[in-house]
Structures are given as C-alpha cells and as structure tokens.
Amino acid sequence: MEKKVLIVYAHQSAGSFSAAAKEAAVEVLKSKDCSVKVSDLYAMKFKATATAEDITGKVKNPEHFRYAEETKLAWDEGRLSADITEEQRKLQGADLVIFQFPMYWFTVPAILKGWFDRVLTLGFAYTKEKRYSNGIFKKTKAVLSFTTGSQETMFSPTGINGDMNVTLWPLQNGILHYCGFQVLAPQIFWAPADAPPESRSAMLAAWNTRLQGLLDEKPLFYAPMDCFDCEKSFQLKPESVEKCAKEFGPTAGTHCGKPLPPNNQMKAGV
C-alpha cells in the first residue's frame, strides 16, 4: 500500500541547506513509491498568528475569546478557515510527517509555531481523553529535521547551550507526542553554515541513507498514559515510581528527580 508523507517546510530560501534536505526527502521517498506533499509555509504565506480570523462566522464569546474552545466549536461545525482545513486534510491522511526547519532561538521559526498553534486544534488533534500514548495521531510517525547555528558540542550536557535532549522535550513531547504521534529520533544537521562543502555533502548523504528506512524506524520512548494516575493528579503511579529505582529517570522530562537518561530525545531504544 502506498505510504503518504507530508513535509512541513519552514525556510525562506531555496538555496538553503534546509531546502536541500527537503528536496532530498522528496526525491528519496518518491523513489520508494511514497506519495509526498510539501507545505512550503513561507511560499504559502501561511498566517502565523492564532486569532479569531481563523473562524468563519461569529464566535461564541467575543468578549472573552478563547482560541481552543472557539476553534473546537468551529471544527465541529466546519467553520475553520480554508488554510487550516487544508493543512488538517493533508495531515489526516499522512503516515509520516517531516518537519524541516532551521532552529531559531532553541525552537522552531514563528511560522512553524503558528502551524502547530492553528492546525493542531482541540478536537481535531487532541482531546482531554485522547492525548499522549492514547492520542489521535498514534498511528502516524513524525520527525523533526533541522539545522542548528551552534556546534554539536555546545548542545551537550556540559555545553554552554545545554543538553539538546532538554531543548527538544517541549517540541517532541509537548506538541508531537501530546497529539499521539510516534516521534522518531530527530535528524539534526549541526551548524552546516560553518561546515566545509564536504561535510555538508556528508550530512546530506547520511540523511539520504536514513530516509531509505525512515518509515520503518521505531519511535522514541515516552512513559505511556497507564503509568500515570489520570483520575486525579496525573502523577506517576506508585508502582511506576518504584520502577524508577535505577540510575536514570524514565525520560528527559519525567525523570523522578534522577539523572536524565542519555539521548532519550535523540535516539530510539535508550
């Protein structure tokens, strides 16, 4: 069966390393008979701000506009703006989503953050009951593929930027895993702007190789919902805490006060 891939691309320049990484993904995945769609956010002039303009017709409470509640109602009634509806349609049919971007200020560019804010609406992408390991997109794989401006050593546990595993937790757990996605290990291109041509070529070659089996990769580990007391405090259950009686905590975010598990947000199976 044909696999469907969505690439959400956030870079302004066709001559960028991000563009080259995006084109490599399109080429390799199409060669493997995947259907590939690209949402080129800058070319689309995608609106980055989540506002009442995202809803067609009247809002429920104009005096106290609450985005999640209002867009949930609009989604139920088919009144979300056309650009949001189109991105949701692409996302709904995807087996794999690749987010290709340059890291800005330790996170995604504003236009991509706007995509997350506006497209992953309440009801469509998550509910109180359907999130994390029980999430709506639990059958869909997702991967962050991005460039950094800093060297890899600067994002180490002893580096000046801090541990990249900590940097990635809000994006990979707080957005992707929250919506249920099977989060694959990120593809990080370390400081390509400072690298010689042969090093940039090697980075792209490694990405090409990884793309060959990307759809078959196992996801990163996150503690499943049934490890938590979801009726009261959403804390780890006592029996789950007992399992933390080892050198490292379970994940980079839920760590039980223990040392972070090495590479929990960067490598599967650790």
Side-chain angles (χ1 to χ4, degrees):
M1 184 180 294
E2 180 186 67
K3 295 291 186 179
K4 296 181 179 180
V5 179
L6 171 62
I7 301 175
V8 183
Y9 170 65
H11 200 291
Q12 303 165 67
S13 175
S16 65
F17 191 93
S18 290
K22 179 258 296 180
E23 289 301 322
V26 171
E27 182 178 344
V28 171
L29 292 168
K30 281 188 174 181
S31 74
K32 295 184 69 64
D33 297 322
C34 294
S35 169
V36 182
K37 294 182 179 178
V38 178
S39 288
D40 186 338
L41 301 186
Y42 284 101
M44 294 160 57
K45 294 181 169 56
F46 189 81
K47 176 174 167 286
T49 52
T51 67
E53 295 173 356
D54 295 341
I55 297 166
T56 302
K58 295 181 179 180
V59 299
K60 180 180 178 181
N61 187 353
E63 300 302 318
H64 182 198
F65 179 75
R66 293 188 291 178
Y67 192 82
E69 180 181 299
E70 295 282 3
T71 52
K72 168 63 166 63
L73 181 61
W75 176 73
D76 286 337
E77 298 176 352
R79 295 189 296 108
L80 286 174
S81 61
D83 61 338
I84 293 176
T85 301
E86 175 61 13
E87 292 305 295
Q88 290 182 341
R89 185 188 64 78
K90 294 177 191 175
L91 184 57
Q92 212 161 20
D95 297 292
L96 169 68
V97 186
I98 299 173
F99 297 95
Q100 183 67 58
F101 60 94
M103 178 170 273
Y104 285 0
W105 290 110
F106 293 64
T107 187
V108 297
I111 199 166
L112 179 51
K113 180 57 165 61
W115 189 94
F116 288 135
D117 290 346
R118 298 179 65 229
V119 176
L120 301 179
T121 58
L122 175 62
F124 168 75
Y126 68 95
T127 67
K128 184 178 180 180
E129 296 76 26
K130 295 181 179 180
R131 51 183 170 166
Y132 293 118
S133 59
N134 296 332
I136 289 171
F137 287 97
K138 62 185 179 181
K139 294 184 179 180
T140 306
K141 293 182 176 181
V143 61
L144 301 181
S145 175
F146 61 93
T147 61
T148 68
S150 299
Q151 302 295 328
E152 182 175 5
T153 53
M154 296 170 71
F155 278 106
S156 70
T158 56
I160 193 169
N161 289 349
D163 191 340
M164 179 60 86
N165 291 279
V166 176
T167 300
L168 289 172
W169 181 261
L171 295 172
Q172 296 189 154
N173 178 74
I175 298 176
L176 300 181
H177 179 54
Y178 189 92
C179 295
F181 288 101
Q182 297 179 44
V183 185
L184 303 183
Q187 181 69 28
I188 307 176
F189 302 103
W190 301 102
D194 297 331
E198 57 270 23
S199 295
R200 292 197 295 272
S201 295
M203 291 182 200
L204 286 174
W207 180 224
N208 271 271
T209 299
R210 185 183 178 194
L211 284 162
Q212 300 290 337
L214 191 62
L215 279 156
D216 297 320
E217 286 188 9
K218 299 297 183 184
L220 300 173
F221 172 77
Y222 295 92
M225 285 282 282
D226 59 13
C227 287
F228 297 87
D229 177 4
C230 297
E231 298 298 321
K232 297 179 181 179
S233 61
F234 290 90
Q235 296 281 300
L236 282 171
K237 295 175 181 177
E239 57 268 30
S240 298
V241 173
E242 288 176 10
K243 293 178 182 178
C244 293
K246 54 184 181 180
E247 184 179 0
F248 301 107
T251 65
T254 308
H255 50 69
C256 300
K258 293 182 176 293
L260 305 189
N263 293 316
N264 169 251
Q265 290 300 290
M266 296 174 67
K267 293 182 180 179
V270 297

